[in-house]
Amino acid sequence: MAADEKTQTWRNNSDCCSWDGITCDPKTGNVAELNLWGSSLNGSLRSSSGLFKLQYLHSLNLGSNNLAGILPDFIGDLKYLRVLRLSGCNLFGKLPSSLGNLSDLTHLELDGNGFTGELPVSLGNLKQLTNFHHALLNLTELTAINLVSNELEGTLPSNMSSLSKLEYFDIGSNLFSGFVPSSLFMIPSLIHLKLERNHFNSLLEIGNFSSPSKLQTLSLGGNRLSGPIPGFISKLVGLSYLDLSFWDTLSIVDMSLFSHFESLSLLSLSRNTVKFSSTLHLVSPIGSLALASCNISEFPKFLRTQTSLFNLDISQNQIKGQVPAWLWSLPGLAYVDFSLNSFTGFVPLLPQSMTFLAASDNQFSGEIPTTICELVSLDVLVLSNNNFSGSIPRCFENFNTKLSILHLRNNSLSGKFPEESVSVALISLDVGRNQLSGELPKSLINCTHLEFLNVEDNMFNDTFPFRLRLLPGLQILVLRSNKFHGSLYSPRSSPSFSKLRIIDISKNLFTGALPLDYFAGWSEMSSGVYTPDNNKQKRFIGITFLNYRKSVVLANKGSEREFLGSSFSIYKIIDVSGNRFEGDIPKSICLLKELNVLNMSNNAFIGSIPPSFSNLTNLQSLDLSKNSLSGKIPPELGKLTFLAWMNFSYNNLEGPIPQGTQIQTQDSSSFLQNPGLCGAPLHKICSGEEEGTLNQDKEDEEEDQVLSWIAVAIAYVPGVFCGFIVGHILASYRHDWFKGIFRYFSLT
């Protein structure tokens, strides 16, 4: 049930026992069950919450909400709880030992959070658990353990045979280390064993099984396991899911090892050296096969008979020539990744079932075949780093409601970007490093899910796309090295980008001054508040570790570097260099406390460097070179402990370079061509008059702080007004239930 539907009945003038999500004891009237799964709740669980006063609660489900924070000790006060579901709540920190007080608990779900540290010993008190997400040897009634996607650490006990009823064991995506105990494989009831993406470094060989193994799922990929793959794995003939990826075998894995498996539907051997003969035949009806980075030089012919195949990853190999035509005759093929090979001659006919196609980093050439447009279910298309030429096909309009990832980066595409070729479902669009011209498609305004837009190194000739500020989730905007021109300010259009993390508009033709409050509404860069991952892009990961890559080249610490993958979630960057901006540096930039890289070089900025730059406490790189800045370098910049690189060269700065800080440790080239500057690392010695300027510096700082507060006020006043309006609407109409339920909690 959707959150809005669930809470429509929550009114403060009605009996809460009639509300959706709440079940009361028919005899006592006490709230016995509370189910707010997926209700868009935000905020941490506080010990003062009325929730912890529901003493007779038997079942609590708060899963799939954003409860970012620790799990309070008060959870142990709900002593009658039998079911506790907190999956996917963005909780973190250590698990409270008070969980051990819930002696009636039979079902506990804590997966999909960020819990750290070791498991509390007190969890051994939970004798009634039959479905648990934490392993302790004296919980002999356990049938399921699921700790997936936390940050838990430690080692597994060497003897786990006491868990004789265990059927499901999943501790994937944590920090467990040490050896994988052989006793796990000896549990006769075990069906699913998932240990992937941890730090395990050893798997012991096992002799003969005392009874036939029931294992159907074995996932060991993404650990630090080394040495030959143990021979006992070949005896697990009932497996349907086998992941041995990222195993440092130091030897060759022969695919014939799996020829006698009869039920194998998923096989992942990525990051191993694999060999197979031309006559290999796999009996199993494999549906998903991952052979990424396996040192393969020829296309696997044994796939020809795999009519159940729907997912194939053979990326990062050394396969040359054309993709065999018979591959596309496999009836259910939907996900294909053959990027990072040396394929030529793009296949013109593709199966209608295709939803994911990654073919980047090959040697495909010619025009993009229009037959791709017949794939009306296509969700992801990645053709970057090839030799495609011609224009972007207009028939891409066939993808108008489906295509969410379109990457055509680093080809030789030319002409205009057709308006009709923009899918409204786009999350990520990268057409950088081509020869596209004309205006940026205005239809991008319809892409309400767009998060990543990169058009760098083209010939787009347009004004700044103010309309993109209306896209609620836009995080990365790269316009560098084009012919964008005009002002970055319009009195009719606010420049505010509330979610923007990276903006690079360098090497264009932008002009004019930036208003004092220009950066006042850029909340993502000004706040360190945790923003949960919406997981939109994780759905493309499938069984492989890499299916498509976002890439952008940015200037950082004086040199250009390529940012990939997780770098986008780490850095917050503004680069306006190489334009024709003038006037003072906007004082509102001091509000961006989360900013890591700021490059304003090669413009015509004037005035002094704001001392309030000292508010940018996360700044690592600052480039103000090649402007017309005057005055002194503020000594307050020395407070920025993370600021490792800075460049003030080619300005009109004067006075002594601040001493005793990381400013003075910079290379002399960072201060060149400022005739009035003196002091180390320059060879020019300061006079006594120049050193006695501290009082004037203090007056300048006070004046700058006043201007900074003006910028804050300009941003704050309209925000408060909007806040009162929105708050009135929510309080009056949408959230009576919110007030009612917590009023009820406080009175219970």
Side-chain angles (χ1 to χ4, degrees):
M1 179 179 291
D4 287 346
E5 295 173 353
K6 181 179 291 186
T7 57
Q8 277 181 351
T9 61
W10 289 33
R11 306 296 180 193
N12 60 358
N13 57 353
S14 63
D15 183 2
C16 72
C17 293
S18 65
W19 297 352
D20 289 327
I22 291 181
T23 302
C24 295
D25 187 310
K27 295 181 179 179
T28 65
N30 294 320
V31 175
E33 297 183 13
L34 180 60
N35 182 1
L36 294 177
W37 182 91
S39 296
S40 301
L41 301 180
N42 286 282
S44 58
L45 290 173
R46 301 183 184 277
S47 57
S48 59
S49 171
L51 172 66
F52 298 111
K53 298 179 181 179
L54 297 177
Q55 293 294 316
Y56 299 99
L57 204 60
H58 291 169
S59 177
L60 176 61
N61 187 352
L62 299 178
S64 296
N65 286 289
N66 179 29
L67 307 180
I70 64 170
L71 183 60
D73 283 327
F74 285 88
I75 194 69
D77 292 346
L78 303 177
K79 58 183 178 180
Y80 294 110
L81 268 185
R82 298 170 186 165
V83 176
L84 178 58
R85 291 185 168 98
L86 298 173
S87 300
C89 289
N90 295 318
L91 296 166
F92 52 80
K94 293 185 176 181
L95 287 169
S97 59
S98 61
L99 277 174
N101 299 339
L102 307 178
S103 56
D104 290 338
L105 210 59
T106 62
H107 193 106
L108 177 60
E109 295 182 4
L110 298 172
D111 54 290
N113 288 289
F115 290 118
T116 57
E118 298 190 3
L119 304 177
V121 176
S122 62
L123 295 180
N125 301 331
L126 308 180
K127 306 291 186 180
Q128 304 299 318
L129 278 177
T130 59
N131 187 313
F132 188 29
H133 294 223
H134 302 281
L136 289 175
L137 296 183
N138 60 342
L139 303 176
T140 56
E141 298 299 312
L142 281 178
T143 60
I145 296 175
N146 190 341
L147 278 166
V148 66
S149 298
N150 283 285
E151 297 181 14
L152 297 168
E153 57 190 35
T155 59
L156 296 180
S158 59
N159 184 4
M160 301 185 69
S161 57
S162 61
L163 302 174
S164 57
K165 297 182 180 180
L166 193 64
E167 298 177 358
Y168 185 97
F169 187 60
D170 187 351
I171 57 171
S173 300
N174 278 284
L175 302 174
F176 289 105
S177 58
F179 67 92
V180 178
S182 58
S183 57
L184 258 178
F185 295 89
M186 307 304 289
I187 298 175
S189 56
L190 194 62
I191 298 173
H192 302 283
L193 177 56
K194 305 191 72 175
L195 309 178
E196 73 276 4
R197 291 188 285 279
N198 276 282
H199 295 163
F200 292 115
N201 55 29
S202 177
L203 176 60
L204 302 179
E205 182 61 78
I206 299 174
N208 294 326
F209 291 96
S210 57
S211 59
S213 174
K214 292 184 179 180
L215 265 184
Q216 297 176 13
T217 299
L218 177 58
S219 183
L220 300 172
N223 279 284
R224 299 173 179 175
L225 298 171
S226 59
I229 292 176
F232 77 87
I233 290 179
S234 65
K235 301 176 184 178
L236 304 174
V237 294
L239 286 175
S240 60
Y241 184 118
L242 178 58
D243 180 1
L244 302 176
S245 59
F246 291 74
W247 191 310
D248 187 8
T249 64
L250 300 177
S251 59
I252 297 175
V253 179
D254 193 333
M255 289 282 293
S256 63
L257 179 69
F258 314 105
S259 60
H260 62 288
F261 284 54
E262 297 182 355
S263 305
L264 203 58
S265 61
L266 183 147
L267 177 61
S268 179
L269 299 174
S270 295
R271 293 292 181 93
N272 290 290
T273 299
V274 171
K275 76 171 184 177
F276 46 82
S277 68
S278 58
T279 59
L280 175 66
H281 176 68
L282 296 181
V283 178
S284 294
I286 294 179
S288 187
L289 178 64
L291 296 174
S293 190
C294 288
N295 294 315
I296 297 172
S297 58
E298 62 175 315
F299 203 91
K301 296 178 182 178
F302 65 86
L303 294 177
R304 192 165 192 164
T305 59
Q306 292 294 329
T307 55
S308 299
L309 192 67
F310 68 88
N311 186 340
L312 175 63
D313 183 359
I314 53 171
S315 62
Q316 302 181 63
N317 284 292
Q318 296 91 43
I319 308 175
K320 299 179 180 179
Q322 294 190 345
V323 179
W326 54 258
L327 178 69
W328 311 115
S329 65
L330 298 178
L333 200 61
Y335 304 86
V336 176
D337 187 350
F338 47 81
S339 57
L340 289 158
N341 280 284
S342 298
F343 287 115
T344 58
F346 197 75
V347 180
L349 296 176
L350 298 168
Q352 292 288 313
S353 55
M354 189 71 64
T355 60
F356 182 104
L357 178 59
S360 65
D361 298 271
N362 280 283
Q363 298 177 17
F364 295 121
S365 59
E367 295 187 352
I368 297 175
T370 56
T371 50
I372 287 182
C373 302
E374 299 174 9
L375 308 178
V376 293
S377 298
L378 198 63
D379 196 351
V380 175
L381 179 61
V382 181
L383 302 177
S384 300
N385 301 319
N386 281 288
N387 297 312
F388 286 113
S389 58
S391 58
I392 296 175
R394 289 185 177 274
C395 63
F396 273 16
E397 64 180 322
N398 293 355
F399 307 137
N400 190 260
T401 60
K402 290 284 187 179
L403 196 67
S404 59
I405 307 294
L406 178 60
H407 287 189
L408 304 175
R409 176 182 180 81
N410 196 23
N411 282 283
S412 297
L413 300 173
S414 58
K416 296 183 177 180
F417 196 136
E419 293 278 350
E420 60 270 28
S421 297
V422 176
S423 167
V424 297
L426 280 176
I427 295 174
S428 181
L429 174 62
D430 189 348
V431 293
R433 297 196 170 188
N434 282 285
Q435 299 162 26
L436 300 172
S437 58
E439 297 182 351
L440 209 59
K442 292 181 173 58
S443 53
L444 285 170
I445 190 58
N446 300 319
C447 304
T448 54
H449 299 293
L450 192 65
E451 298 177 358
F452 178 91
L453 176 60
N454 185 4
V455 299
E456 66 179 339
D457 287 314
N458 278 284
M459 295 184 289
F460 285 109
N461 192 336
D462 199 356
T463 56
F464 185 78
F466 291 102
R467 55 192 175 274
L468 296 183
R469 78 190 189 283
L470 300 175
L471 299 180
L474 188 62
Q475 299 179 26
I476 299 168
L477 175 61
V478 181
L479 307 179
R480 74 180 263 147
S481 297
N482 280 280
K483 297 180 181 179
F484 288 99
H485 56 272
S487 175
L488 240 61
Y489 170 72
S490 170
R492 296 177 298 174
S493 301
S494 166
S496 175
F497 289 91
S498 61
K499 295 293 184 181
L500 211 58
R501 305 173 61 88
I502 295 176
I503 180 170
D504 185 351
I505 58 173
S506 63
K507 299 180 181 179
N508 280 286
L509 303 172
F510 291 116
T511 58
L514 301 178
L516 181 71
D517 65 337
Y518 190 79
F519 297 102
W522 296 38
S523 55
E524 184 69 22
M525 295 192 188
S526 62
S527 172
V529 175
Y530 172 76
T531 302
D533 186 357
N534 61 16
N535 291 319
K536 288 179 181 176
Q537 295 174 1
K538 289 185 178 179
R539 57 196 172 107
F540 304 120
I541 293 177
I543 65 160
T544 59
F545 285 77
L546 176 65
N547 277 329
Y548 78 96
R549 297 181 298 174
K550 291 183 294 187
S551 170
V552 65
V553 176
L554 299 170
N556 183 26
K557 298 182 179 179
S559 60
E560 292 186 348
R561 55 169 289 195
E562 185 175 23
F563 284 73
L564 292 168
S566 61
S567 298
F568 293 106
S569 61
I570 297 173
Y571 284 94
K572 297 183 179 180
I573 298 172
I574 293 178
D575 190 343
V576 299
S577 64
N579 284 284
R580 302 173 183 175
F581 293 119
E582 56 191 34
D584 290 346
I585 294 175
K587 300 296 192 298
S588 58
I589 205 166
C590 71
L591 303 174
L592 309 184
K593 296 181 180 180
E594 298 299 308
L595 194 62
N596 305 119
V597 177
L598 176 60
N599 189 349
M600 308 184 81
S601 65
N602 200 14
N603 281 286
F605 287 112
I606 60 173
S608 59
I609 299 173
S612 54
F613 267 20
S614 61
N615 293 335
L616 306 180
T617 52
N618 287 288
L619 199 62
Q620 301 174 22
S621 174
L622 174 63
D623 193 345
L624 300 177
S625 63
K626 298 181 180 178
N627 282 285
S628 298
L629 298 171
S630 57
K632 300 175 177 61
I633 297 176
E636 291 82 3
L637 295 184
K639 301 175 183 177
L640 302 179
T641 55
F642 291 110
L643 187 56
W645 189 90
M646 58 199 85
N647 191 347
F648 305 103
S649 62
Y650 294 89
N651 280 286
N652 298 315
L653 300 171
E654 60 185 11
I657 296 173
Q659 302 294 298
T661 68
Q662 71 271 32
I663 300 177
Q664 191 261 335
T665 64
Q666 300 295 303
D667 188 84
S668 61
S669 61
S670 296
F671 307 96
L672 294 177
Q673 299 300 314
N674 287 281
L677 277 183
C678 59
L682 297 177
H683 297 299
K684 182 179 179 181
I685 299 175
C686 298
S687 66
E689 181 180 354
E690 288 171 323
E691 293 176 342
T693 59
L694 293 178
N695 291 334
Q696 183 62 41
D697 287 344
K698 184 175 181 181
E699 293 176 8
D700 291 344
E701 179 185 1
E702 291 174 352
E703 178 183 356
D704 185 75
Q705 289 176 344
V706 171
L707 292 173
S708 296
W709 277 108
I710 293 174
V712 173
I714 291 173
Y716 177 73
V717 171
V720 170
F721 178 74
C722 293
F724 277 124
I725 296 298
V726 173
H728 174 71
I729 293 172
L730 292 178
S732 300
Y733 302 100
R734 298 287 294 170
H735 287 290
D736 286 343
W737 61 266
F738 186 86
K739 296 186 295 180
I741 187 61
F742 282 101
R743 183 181 297 114
Y744 179 86
F745 286 168
S746 62
L747 295 175
T748 302

